[in-house]
Amino acid sequence: MAKPQVLGKGVKYRGSIHDFPNFDPNQDAEALYTAMKGFGSDKEAILELITSRSNRQRQEISQSYKSLYGKDLIADLKYELTGKFERLIVGLMRPLAYCDAKEIKDAISGIGTDEKCLIEILASRTNEQIHQLVAAYKDAYERDLEADIIGDTSGHFQKMLVVLLQGTREQDDVVSEDLVQQDVQDLYEAGELKWGTDEAQFIYILGNRSKQHLRLVFDEYLRTTGKPIEASIRGELSGDFEKLMLAVVKCIRSTPEYFAERLFKAMKGLGTRDNTLIRIMVSRSELDMLDIREIFRTKYEKSLYSMIKNDTSGEYKKALLKLCGGDDDAAGQFFPEAAQVAYQMWELSAVARVELKGTVRPVDNFNPDADAKALRKAMKGLGTDEDTIIDIITHRSNAQRQQIRQTFKSHFGRDLMADLKSEISGDLARLILGLMMPPAHYDAKQLKKAMEGAGTDEKALIEILATRTNAEIRAICEAYKEDYHKSLEDALSSDTSGHFRRILISLATGNREEGGEDRNQAREDAQVAAEILEIADTPSGDKTSLETRFMTILCTRSYPHLRRVFQEFVKMTNYDVEHTIKKEMSGDVRDVFVAIVQSVKNKPLFFADKLYKSMKGAGTDDKTLTRIMVSRSEIDLLNIRREFIEKYDKSLHQAIEGDTSGDFLKALLAICGGED
């Protein structure tokens, strides 16, 4: 990795592109002219030269080219190159402000607007960059940028863009505690406490206050309301305005982290969003590319370099890799600054006590009598009224469904579950019957099914036992005994083996500690983890006792304590615990430990990942999809939905719509509870 050059007053340069030593603009202009002369062009020479010069030097080359040959260098490059490679090279040749101006012009020209481009540029630029952008737009297009944006956008989205376009964010780092408290109160009253939302308050505070001030506002907002500002924005705002405000919050918290996330989303999944990839790699190469790389490595457990390498090709790939400026250290290991970022991320996850919310709630004016009669009518005679069954069962809480079952039996002397079984079939039956069971009995049944017949469904065992609370585990054990006349522990013993069996039985006791963290103990636990994962400086103790201690730590320590253990692990080793487990362990033992770590880190995200994987690619894993939708519907499905859209850039609602059909689709969407 290139050593960061030091700027004035001890500020480190965090770009990946540097001034080229012994620079001669005339010589470079000649080399480019030669590369483009005659039949075909020497693309390798063009990319090598342009990606090795700073933007300031490229402007001098343009000048020299015009002086020497009376021609416009950008026009010649456009003529010689094509496609994404041309867009990237031409982007590098423009000064940053003109590059931004061109991106915005493209975003608002023609039919439809590229709102994501507008959001990305205007939410992330400094006051000075905004002023330069406005001037460059005027110079390049002889038009007023504010007027063009007003002509192309509307509503609160437009108002916030206009505020950001003023480039008047306060710069003062001296923060008034009273003003912080006042802003928290104003935001809370404008959103959570108000019927409807006072968007003007959100626009004024988030559009004008200094970054330092707003970071303290966000911290205090979480302490005061118990939820992060992002959750309130998602709950109170909508559409492009919501996306813009979330981008502003992300850039206030960490601009490099915002761009790391944008780059990841531009390359993951099928197809690459090349315009986004090009725009960010060009615009950040001389600002904060090293910071973006560190955060990327920390968040996504792979280097930005390796992702670009696997996702692009040809000269385009070579040029992007030059802008990236190098591959980061071995997989799983952080270089020092990235380790600090990883450490801070665990700190943040410990602070963020996000309120968990399901999507299915008790219905008001509940009438079990009327529901029982409506269900009987829907199943009587020829044909079945599936719409009525779906509507009633997906819009009642589990407790209310149990009352309906009771009432159905009292009225008609019939078992509602048996009637449903005979009337509906396939995926819909699995889903509806799952919703009708008490949660502990449902989980018990899923565990029983996972162990039945030939072969064991280890993934289902892991998903349930690694994520349930003590109270939930104990209830499952009772339900299992009641329904199958055998203890869950005995069933696990006869169906699994080795370390995997020991881990599952330990989890199935429901004896996880419930207290907070113990810092001294956490350091000791982190040392055990480092030794068992073979990255400790001084291994001690025999392997068997270490394995037992490591298992005990992961299966019995409280979540807050484990967060601290994983944090201390980063500090001690410069490694990420999850990645190290994946690298050093194998099979079911690895999978169950990874599930515990992910669950400690962010349980809704763990389930969002599982849902995504159940629907991506050819065919749907309907069993996993059903199990998670049923079991999380009253616990944290709303949080899972938020994590899903955040990570995969599409809503859970959209994913279900694109991957299922018929009555099963209708029922799943009803449980999902809305489009994000």
Side-chain angles (χ1 to χ4, degrees), residues 405-463:
R405 274 178 81 171
Q406 197 50 60
T407 307
F408 196 88
K409 190 155 233 171
S410 305
H411 271 2
F412 308 112
R414 300 172 69 93
D415 178 16
L416 176 54
M417 295 287 274
D419 280 9
L420 286 166
K421 253 185 202 168
S422 67
E423 293 292 329
I424 53 178
S425 60
D427 292 327
L428 178 66
R430 241 201 312 268
L431 182 67
I432 293 295
L433 291 167
L435 289 168
M436 287 305 303
M437 295 178 78
H441 289 266
Y442 179 71
D443 277 347
K445 185 174 184 188
Q446 298 307 303
L447 291 169
K448 177 84 164 68
K449 278 188 164 174
M451 294 184 278
E452 257 170 8
T456 305
D457 181 353
E458 290 85 2
K459 284 183 176 160
L461 296 180
I462 291 168
E463 179 204 300

Short mmCIF file of all heavy atoms in Angstrom, two decimals, residues 405-463:
data_model
loop_
_atom_site.label_atom_id
_atom_site.label_comp_id
_atom_site.label_asym_id
_atom_site.label_seq_id
_atom_site.Cartn_x
_atom_site.Cartn_y
_atom_site.Cartn_z
N ARG A 405 -58.88 -20.74 17.39
CA ARG A 405 -58.87 -22.22 17.41
C ARG A 405 -59.83 -22.76 18.48
O ARG A 405 -60.60 -23.68 18.24
CB ARG A 405 -57.46 -22.74 17.73
CG ARG A 405 -56.56 -22.87 16.55
CD ARG A 405 -55.17 -23.35 16.94
NE ARG A 405 -55.09 -24.79 17.15
CZ ARG A 405 -53.93 -25.45 17.34
NH1 ARG A 405 -52.79 -24.79 17.34
NH2 ARG A 405 -53.94 -26.76 17.50
N GLN A 406 -59.73 -22.13 19.65
CA GLN A 406 -60.56 -22.56 20.79
C GLN A 406 -62.05 -22.36 20.47
O GLN A 406 -62.88 -23.24 20.66
CB GLN A 406 -60.14 -21.72 22.02
CG GLN A 406 -60.57 -22.26 23.36
CD GLN A 406 -60.21 -23.74 23.56
OE1 GLN A 406 -59.06 -24.12 23.51
NE2 GLN A 406 -61.23 -24.58 23.74
N THR A 407 -62.34 -21.16 19.95
CA THR A 407 -63.73 -20.82 19.62
C THR A 407 -64.28 -21.74 18.53
O THR A 407 -65.44 -22.16 18.57
CB THR A 407 -63.81 -19.34 19.16
OG1 THR A 407 -63.18 -18.53 20.16
CG2 THR A 407 -65.22 -18.86 18.98
N PHE A 408 -63.46 -22.04 17.54
CA PHE A 408 -63.84 -22.91 16.43
C PHE A 408 -64.26 -24.28 16.97
O PHE A 408 -65.28 -24.86 16.58
CB PHE A 408 -62.65 -23.05 15.46
CG PHE A 408 -62.99 -23.60 14.10
CD1 PHE A 408 -63.39 -22.76 13.07
CD2 PHE A 408 -62.92 -24.97 13.84
CE1 PHE A 408 -63.69 -23.26 11.80
CE2 PHE A 408 -63.22 -25.48 12.58
CZ PHE A 408 -63.61 -24.62 11.55
N LYS A 409 -63.46 -24.78 17.92
CA LYS A 409 -63.76 -26.10 18.50
C LYS A 409 -65.06 -26.03 19.32
O LYS A 409 -65.91 -26.93 19.25
CB LYS A 409 -62.59 -26.54 19.40
CG LYS A 409 -62.70 -27.98 19.83
CD LYS A 409 -61.34 -28.58 20.16
CE LYS A 409 -61.10 -29.85 19.40
NZ LYS A 409 -59.77 -30.38 19.48
N SER A 410 -65.22 -24.96 20.10
CA SER A 410 -66.42 -24.81 20.94
C SER A 410 -67.69 -24.72 20.08
O SER A 410 -68.72 -25.29 20.41
CB SER A 410 -66.33 -23.54 21.79
OG SER A 410 -65.14 -23.54 22.54
N HIS A 411 -67.60 -23.98 18.98
CA HIS A 411 -68.78 -23.77 18.12
C HIS A 411 -69.14 -24.98 17.28
O HIS A 411 -70.29 -25.34 17.15
CB HIS A 411 -68.50 -22.61 17.15
CG HIS A 411 -68.88 -21.28 17.71
ND1 HIS A 411 -69.38 -21.13 18.96
CD2 HIS A 411 -68.84 -20.02 17.16
CE1 HIS A 411 -69.61 -19.85 19.19
NE2 HIS A 411 -69.29 -19.15 18.10
N PHE A 412 -68.09 -25.54 16.64
CA PHE A 412 -68.37 -26.53 15.59
C PHE A 412 -67.92 -27.95 15.95
O PHE A 412 -68.11 -28.87 15.17
CB PHE A 412 -67.70 -26.10 14.27
CG PHE A 412 -68.03 -24.69 13.87
CD1 PHE A 412 -67.07 -23.68 13.88
CD2 PHE A 412 -69.34 -24.35 13.50
CE1 PHE A 412 -67.39 -22.38 13.53
CE2 PHE A 412 -69.66 -23.04 13.14
CZ PHE A 412 -68.69 -22.05 13.16
N GLY A 413 -67.29 -28.09 17.14
CA GLY A 413 -66.81 -29.41 17.56
C GLY A 413 -65.78 -29.96 16.59
O GLY A 413 -65.62 -31.17 16.44
N ARG A 414 -65.08 -29.04 15.89
CA ARG A 414 -64.10 -29.47 14.89
C ARG A 414 -62.73 -28.86 15.20
O ARG A 414 -62.64 -27.81 15.83
CB ARG A 414 -64.54 -29.02 13.48
CG ARG A 414 -65.89 -29.56 13.05
CD ARG A 414 -66.34 -28.92 11.73
NE ARG A 414 -65.50 -29.35 10.62
CZ ARG A 414 -65.79 -30.40 9.84
NH1 ARG A 414 -66.89 -31.11 10.04
NH2 ARG A 414 -65.00 -30.73 8.85
N ASP A 415 -61.70 -29.52 14.70
CA ASP A 415 -60.33 -29.01 14.89
C ASP A 415 -59.98 -28.12 13.70
O ASP A 415 -59.92 -28.60 12.56
CB ASP A 415 -59.37 -30.21 15.00
CG ASP A 415 -57.92 -29.75 15.17
OD1 ASP A 415 -57.71 -28.57 15.49
OD2 ASP A 415 -57.00 -30.56 14.95
N LEU A 416 -59.77 -26.86 13.97
CA LEU A 416 -59.49 -25.89 12.89
C LEU A 416 -58.25 -26.30 12.09
O LEU A 416 -58.24 -26.21 10.86
CB LEU A 416 -59.30 -24.48 13.49
CG LEU A 416 -58.91 -23.36 12.51
CD1 LEU A 416 -59.87 -23.26 11.34
CD2 LEU A 416 -58.82 -22.02 13.23
N MET A 417 -57.21 -26.77 12.78
CA MET A 417 -55.98 -27.17 12.08
C MET A 417 -56.26 -28.31 11.09
O MET A 417 -55.80 -28.29 9.95
CB MET A 417 -54.91 -27.63 13.08
CG MET A 417 -54.42 -26.53 14.01
SD MET A 417 -53.35 -25.35 13.17
CE MET A 417 -51.77 -26.18 13.33
N ALA A 418 -57.05 -29.29 11.53
CA ALA A 418 -57.37 -30.44 10.66
C ALA A 418 -58.17 -29.97 9.45
O ALA A 418 -57.93 -30.42 8.31
CB ALA A 418 -58.15 -31.48 11.45
N ASP A 419 -59.12 -29.06 9.68
CA ASP A 419 -59.92 -28.53 8.57
C ASP A 419 -59.05 -27.78 7.56
O ASP A 419 -59.20 -27.93 6.35
CB ASP A 419 -61.03 -27.60 9.09
CG ASP A 419 -62.23 -28.40 9.61
OD1 ASP A 419 -62.10 -29.65 9.72
OD2 ASP A 419 -63.27 -27.78 9.92
N LEU A 420 -58.15 -26.95 8.08
CA LEU A 420 -57.26 -26.20 7.19
C LEU A 420 -56.39 -27.15 6.37
O LEU A 420 -56.19 -26.95 5.17
CB LEU A 420 -56.36 -25.24 8.01
CG LEU A 420 -57.05 -24.00 8.59
CD1 LEU A 420 -56.17 -23.33 9.63
CD2 LEU A 420 -57.38 -22.99 7.48
N LYS A 421 -55.87 -28.18 7.03
CA LYS A 421 -55.02 -29.17 6.36
C LYS A 421 -55.74 -29.83 5.19
O LYS A 421 -55.15 -30.11 4.15
CB LYS A 421 -54.62 -30.25 7.35
CG LYS A 421 -53.17 -30.18 7.79
CD LYS A 421 -52.83 -31.38 8.67
CE LYS A 421 -51.62 -31.04 9.53
NZ LYS A 421 -51.38 -31.98 10.58
N SER A 422 -57.04 -30.11 5.37
CA SER A 422 -57.76 -30.81 4.31
C SER A 422 -58.19 -29.86 3.18
O SER A 422 -58.51 -30.29 2.08
CB SER A 422 -58.97 -31.55 4.88
OG SER A 422 -59.91 -30.62 5.33
N GLU A 423 -58.20 -28.56 3.45
CA GLU A 423 -58.69 -27.60 2.44
C GLU A 423 -57.58 -26.93 1.63
O GLU A 423 -57.81 -26.51 0.50
CB GLU A 423 -59.52 -26.51 3.13
CG GLU A 423 -60.83 -27.00 3.73
CD GLU A 423 -61.84 -27.43 2.68
OE1 GLU A 423 -61.84 -26.87 1.57
OE2 GLU A 423 -62.65 -28.34 2.97
N ILE A 424 -56.41 -26.74 2.24
CA ILE A 424 -55.34 -26.05 1.50
C ILE A 424 -54.12 -26.98 1.43
O ILE A 424 -54.01 -27.92 2.21
CB ILE A 424 -54.96 -24.68 2.13
CG1 ILE A 424 -54.65 -24.83 3.62
CG2 ILE A 424 -56.04 -23.66 1.90
CD1 ILE A 424 -54.22 -23.54 4.31
N SER A 425 -53.21 -26.69 0.50
CA SER A 425 -52.08 -27.61 0.31
C SER A 425 -50.81 -26.85 -0.05
O SER A 425 -50.83 -25.63 -0.26
CB SER A 425 -52.41 -28.61 -0.79
OG SER A 425 -52.65 -27.90 -2.00
N GLY A 426 -49.71 -27.60 -0.14
CA GLY A 426 -48.44 -27.04 -0.61
C GLY A 426 -47.87 -25.96 0.28
O GLY A 426 -48.03 -25.98 1.51
N ASP A 427 -47.20 -24.98 -0.35
CA ASP A 427 -46.52 -23.91 0.40
C ASP A 427 -47.49 -23.09 1.24
O ASP A 427 -47.17 -22.67 2.34
CB ASP A 427 -45.79 -22.97 -0.58
CG ASP A 427 -44.62 -23.66 -1.25
OD1 ASP A 427 -44.00 -24.52 -0.60
OD2 ASP A 427 -44.33 -23.35 -2.43
N LEU A 428 -48.68 -22.84 0.69
CA LEU A 428 -49.67 -22.05 1.43
C LEU A 428 -50.06 -22.78 2.72
O LEU A 428 -50.14 -22.16 3.78
CB LEU A 428 -50.92 -21.79 0.58
CG LEU A 428 -52.03 -21.00 1.31
CD1 LEU A 428 -51.56 -19.58 1.63
CD2 LEU A 428 -53.31 -20.95 0.49
N ALA A 429 -50.28 -24.10 2.63
CA ALA A 429 -50.66 -24.87 3.83
C ALA A 429 -49.56 -24.80 4.87
O ALA A 429 -49.82 -24.57 6.06
CB ALA A 429 -50.92 -26.33 3.44
N ARG A 430 -48.29 -24.95 4.43
CA ARG A 430 -47.17 -24.89 5.37
C ARG A 430 -47.13 -23.55 6.10
O ARG A 430 -46.90 -23.48 7.31
CB ARG A 430 -45.86 -25.09 4.61
CG ARG A 430 -45.08 -26.33 5.06
CD ARG A 430 -43.61 -26.27 4.70
NE ARG A 430 -43.36 -25.91 3.32
CZ ARG A 430 -43.22 -26.78 2.32
NH1 ARG A 430 -43.34 -28.07 2.54
NH2 ARG A 430 -42.98 -26.36 1.10
N LEU A 431 -47.39 -22.49 5.34
CA LEU A 431 -47.33 -21.14 5.92
C LEU A 431 -48.50 -20.90 6.88
O LEU A 431 -48.30 -20.45 8.02
CB LEU A 431 -47.36 -20.11 4.78
CG LEU A 431 -47.26 -18.64 5.17
CD1 LEU A 431 -45.89 -18.33 5.77
CD2 LEU A 431 -47.49 -17.74 3.96
N ILE A 432 -49.71 -21.19 6.44
CA ILE A 432 -50.91 -20.92 7.26
C ILE A 432 -50.91 -21.79 8.53
O ILE A 432 -51.17 -21.31 9.63
CB ILE A 432 -52.20 -21.15 6.43
CG1 ILE A 432 -52.29 -20.10 5.30
CG2 ILE A 432 -53.44 -21.12 7.30
CD1 ILE A 432 -52.46 -18.65 5.75
N LEU A 433 -50.58 -23.08 8.38
CA LEU A 433 -50.55 -23.97 9.55
C LEU A 433 -49.44 -23.55 10.51
O LEU A 433 -49.60 -23.65 11.73
CB LEU A 433 -50.37 -25.43 9.11
CG LEU A 433 -51.58 -26.01 8.37
CD1 LEU A 433 -51.23 -27.32 7.69
CD2 LEU A 433 -52.77 -26.21 9.31
N GLY A 434 -48.33 -23.05 9.95
CA GLY A 434 -47.24 -22.54 10.80
C GLY A 434 -47.70 -21.36 11.63
O GLY A 434 -47.41 -21.26 12.83
N LEU A 435 -48.45 -20.46 11.00
CA LEU A 435 -48.96 -19.28 11.72
C LEU A 435 -49.95 -19.68 12.81
O LEU A 435 -50.08 -18.99 13.83
CB LEU A 435 -49.64 -18.32 10.74
CG LEU A 435 -48.71 -17.57 9.77
CD1 LEU A 435 -49.52 -16.88 8.67
CD2 LEU A 435 -47.86 -16.54 10.51
N MET A 436 -50.66 -20.79 12.61
CA MET A 436 -51.68 -21.22 13.57
C MET A 436 -51.10 -21.89 14.82
O MET A 436 -51.78 -22.05 15.82
CB MET A 436 -52.67 -22.19 12.91
CG MET A 436 -53.63 -21.54 11.93
SD MET A 436 -54.59 -20.16 12.61
CE MET A 436 -55.41 -20.91 14.00
N MET A 437 -49.82 -22.29 14.75
CA MET A 437 -49.21 -22.97 15.91
C MET A 437 -48.62 -21.95 16.88
O MET A 437 -48.09 -20.93 16.45
CB MET A 437 -48.09 -23.90 15.44
CG MET A 437 -48.55 -25.05 14.58
SD MET A 437 -47.15 -26.06 14.01
CE MET A 437 -46.81 -27.00 15.51
N PRO A 438 -48.66 -22.22 18.20
CA PRO A 438 -47.93 -21.35 19.14
C PRO A 438 -46.44 -21.38 18.77
O PRO A 438 -45.93 -22.44 18.36
CB PRO A 438 -48.17 -22.01 20.50
CG PRO A 438 -49.39 -22.85 20.31
CD PRO A 438 -49.37 -23.31 18.89
N PRO A 439 -45.72 -20.24 18.89
CA PRO A 439 -44.34 -20.15 18.41
C PRO A 439 -43.41 -21.28 18.89
O PRO A 439 -42.66 -21.84 18.09
CB PRO A 439 -43.86 -18.79 18.93
CG PRO A 439 -45.11 -17.98 19.02
CD PRO A 439 -46.21 -18.94 19.39
N ALA A 440 -43.48 -21.62 20.17
CA ALA A 440 -42.57 -22.66 20.69
C ALA A 440 -42.87 -24.01 20.04
O ALA A 440 -41.96 -24.78 19.72
CB ALA A 440 -42.68 -22.76 22.20
N HIS A 441 -44.14 -24.30 19.83
CA HIS A 441 -44.52 -25.57 19.20
C HIS A 441 -44.13 -25.57 17.72
O HIS A 441 -43.75 -26.61 17.17
CB HIS A 441 -46.03 -25.82 19.36
CG HIS A 441 -46.40 -26.14 20.78
ND1 HIS A 441 -46.50 -27.43 21.25
CD2 HIS A 441 -46.66 -25.32 21.84
CE1 HIS A 441 -46.82 -27.40 22.55
NE2 HIS A 441 -46.93 -26.13 22.92
N TYR A 442 -44.22 -24.40 17.10
CA TYR A 442 -43.80 -24.29 15.70
C TYR A 442 -42.29 -24.58 15.58
O TYR A 442 -41.86 -25.38 14.74
CB TYR A 442 -44.12 -22.90 15.14
CG TYR A 442 -43.68 -22.72 13.71
CD1 TYR A 442 -44.34 -23.39 12.67
CD2 TYR A 442 -42.59 -21.93 13.38
CE1 TYR A 442 -43.93 -23.26 11.35
CE2 TYR A 442 -42.18 -21.78 12.05
CZ TYR A 442 -42.86 -22.45 11.05
OH TYR A 442 -42.44 -22.33 9.74
N ASP A 443 -41.49 -23.92 16.44
CA ASP A 443 -40.04 -24.15 16.41
C ASP A 443 -39.72 -25.61 16.71
O ASP A 443 -38.83 -26.20 16.09
CB ASP A 443 -39.33 -23.24 17.41
CG ASP A 443 -39.07 -21.84 16.85
OD1 ASP A 443 -39.21 -21.66 15.63
OD2 ASP A 443 -38.71 -20.94 17.63
N ALA A 444 -40.42 -26.19 17.69
CA ALA A 444 -40.18 -27.59 18.05
C ALA A 444 -40.43 -28.48 16.82
O ALA A 444 -39.66 -29.40 16.53
CB ALA A 444 -41.09 -28.00 19.20
N LYS A 445 -41.50 -28.17 16.10
CA LYS A 445 -41.84 -28.97 14.92
C LYS A 445 -40.76 -28.83 13.83
O LYS A 445 -40.40 -29.80 13.17
CB LYS A 445 -43.20 -28.53 14.36
CG LYS A 445 -43.63 -29.42 13.20
CD LYS A 445 -45.02 -29.14 12.72
CE LYS A 445 -45.39 -30.14 11.64
NZ LYS A 445 -46.64 -29.83 10.99
N GLN A 446 -40.26 -27.60 13.66
CA GLN A 446 -39.21 -27.37 12.66
C GLN A 446 -37.94 -28.15 13.01
O GLN A 446 -37.27 -28.71 12.15
CB GLN A 446 -38.88 -25.87 12.54
CG GLN A 446 -40.03 -25.00 12.07
CD GLN A 446 -40.66 -25.50 10.78
OE1 GLN A 446 -40.00 -25.65 9.76
NE2 GLN A 446 -41.95 -25.80 10.83
N LEU A 447 -37.62 -28.19 14.31
CA LEU A 447 -36.44 -28.95 14.76
C LEU A 447 -36.66 -30.45 14.52
O LEU A 447 -35.76 -31.16 14.06
CB LEU A 447 -36.17 -28.68 16.25
CG LEU A 447 -35.67 -27.26 16.58
CD1 LEU A 447 -35.69 -27.02 18.08
CD2 LEU A 447 -34.25 -27.04 16.05
N LYS A 448 -37.87 -30.92 14.82
CA LYS A 448 -38.20 -32.34 14.63
C LYS A 448 -38.05 -32.71 13.15
O LYS A 448 -37.43 -33.71 12.81
CB LYS A 448 -39.64 -32.58 15.11
CG LYS A 448 -40.16 -34.01 14.91
CD LYS A 448 -39.74 -34.91 16.05
CE LYS A 448 -40.50 -36.21 16.12
NZ LYS A 448 -40.24 -37.12 15.03
N LYS A 449 -38.60 -31.85 12.28
CA LYS A 449 -38.52 -32.11 10.83
C LYS A 449 -37.07 -32.12 10.36
O LYS A 449 -36.71 -32.88 9.46
CB LYS A 449 -39.29 -31.03 10.06
CG LYS A 449 -40.78 -31.29 9.99
CD LYS A 449 -41.41 -30.29 9.06
CE LYS A 449 -42.80 -30.75 8.65
NZ LYS A 449 -43.49 -29.72 7.88
N ALA A 450 -36.25 -31.25 10.95
CA ALA A 450 -34.85 -31.14 10.54
C ALA A 450 -34.08 -32.42 10.88
O ALA A 450 -33.03 -32.70 10.29
CB ALA A 450 -34.19 -29.94 11.21
N MET A 451 -34.60 -33.17 11.85
CA MET A 451 -33.89 -34.39 12.28
C MET A 451 -34.55 -35.68 11.79
O MET A 451 -34.08 -36.76 12.05
CB MET A 451 -33.78 -34.41 13.82
CG MET A 451 -32.90 -33.30 14.36
SD MET A 451 -32.70 -33.38 16.15
CE MET A 451 -34.19 -32.59 16.74
N GLU A 452 -35.66 -35.54 11.10
CA GLU A 452 -36.42 -36.71 10.64
C GLU A 452 -35.82 -37.34 9.39
O GLU A 452 -35.22 -36.65 8.58
CB GLU A 452 -37.85 -36.29 10.28
CG GLU A 452 -38.87 -36.65 11.32
CD GLU A 452 -40.21 -35.98 11.02
OE1 GLU A 452 -40.39 -35.38 9.93
OE2 GLU A 452 -41.06 -36.06 11.88
N GLY A 453 -36.07 -38.61 9.18
CA GLY A 453 -35.75 -39.26 7.91
C GLY A 453 -34.27 -39.33 7.63
O GLY A 453 -33.44 -39.13 8.51
N ALA A 454 -33.95 -39.58 6.38
CA ALA A 454 -32.54 -39.70 5.98
C ALA A 454 -31.93 -38.31 5.88
O ALA A 454 -32.50 -37.42 5.28
CB ALA A 454 -32.45 -40.41 4.64
N GLY A 455 -30.79 -38.14 6.49
CA GLY A 455 -30.11 -36.84 6.42
C GLY A 455 -30.72 -35.84 7.38
O GLY A 455 -31.90 -35.88 7.68
N THR A 456 -29.88 -34.95 7.86
CA THR A 456 -30.30 -33.93 8.83
C THR A 456 -30.21 -32.56 8.17
O THR A 456 -29.25 -32.30 7.44
CB THR A 456 -29.35 -33.98 10.06
OG1 THR A 456 -29.34 -35.31 10.56
CG2 THR A 456 -29.79 -33.03 11.15
N ASP A 457 -31.18 -31.70 8.44
CA ASP A 457 -31.12 -30.33 7.93
C ASP A 457 -30.38 -29.48 8.96
O ASP A 457 -31.00 -28.84 9.81
CB ASP A 457 -32.55 -29.81 7.68
CG ASP A 457 -32.55 -28.40 7.11
OD1 ASP A 457 -31.46 -27.78 7.04
OD2 ASP A 457 -33.63 -27.91 6.75
N GLU A 458 -29.05 -29.51 8.88
CA GLU A 458 -28.23 -28.80 9.90
C GLU A 458 -28.50 -27.30 9.88
O GLU A 458 -28.47 -26.64 10.91
CB GLU A 458 -26.73 -29.05 9.66
CG GLU A 458 -26.27 -30.45 9.96
CD GLU A 458 -26.45 -31.43 8.80
OE1 GLU A 458 -26.92 -30.99 7.73
OE2 GLU A 458 -26.12 -32.61 8.98
N LYS A 459 -28.77 -26.75 8.68
CA LYS A 459 -28.99 -25.30 8.58
C LYS A 459 -30.19 -24.85 9.41
O LYS A 459 -30.16 -23.81 10.06
CB LYS A 459 -29.20 -24.89 7.11
CG LYS A 459 -27.89 -24.88 6.34
CD LYS A 459 -28.06 -24.40 4.92
CE LYS A 459 -26.70 -24.33 4.24
NZ LYS A 459 -26.82 -24.32 2.79
N ALA A 460 -31.25 -25.66 9.39
CA ALA A 460 -32.45 -25.31 10.18
C ALA A 460 -32.15 -25.41 11.68
O ALA A 460 -32.56 -24.55 12.47
CB ALA A 460 -33.61 -26.22 9.81
N LEU A 461 -31.42 -26.45 12.08
CA LEU A 461 -31.04 -26.60 13.50
C LEU A 461 -30.24 -25.39 13.97
O LEU A 461 -30.50 -24.81 15.03
CB LEU A 461 -30.20 -27.88 13.72
CG LEU A 461 -30.84 -29.24 13.43
CD1 LEU A 461 -29.85 -30.36 13.70
CD2 LEU A 461 -32.09 -29.44 14.29
N ILE A 462 -29.26 -25.00 13.14
CA ILE A 462 -28.40 -23.85 13.48
C ILE A 462 -29.22 -22.58 13.56
O ILE A 462 -29.14 -21.81 14.53
CB ILE A 462 -27.27 -23.69 12.44
CG1 ILE A 462 -26.27 -24.85 12.56
CG2 ILE A 462 -26.55 -22.35 12.60
CD1 ILE A 462 -25.27 -24.95 11.40
N GLU A 463 -30.04 -22.34 12.53
CA GLU A 463 -30.81 -21.09 12.46
C GLU A 463 -31.68 -20.91 13.71
O GLU A 463 -31.76 -19.81 14.27
CB GLU A 463 -31.68 -21.10 11.21
CG GLU A 463 -32.54 -19.87 11.04
CD GLU A 463 -33.76 -20.17 10.18
OE1 GLU A 463 -33.58 -20.57 9.02
OE2 GLU A 463 -34.88 -20.03 10.69
#
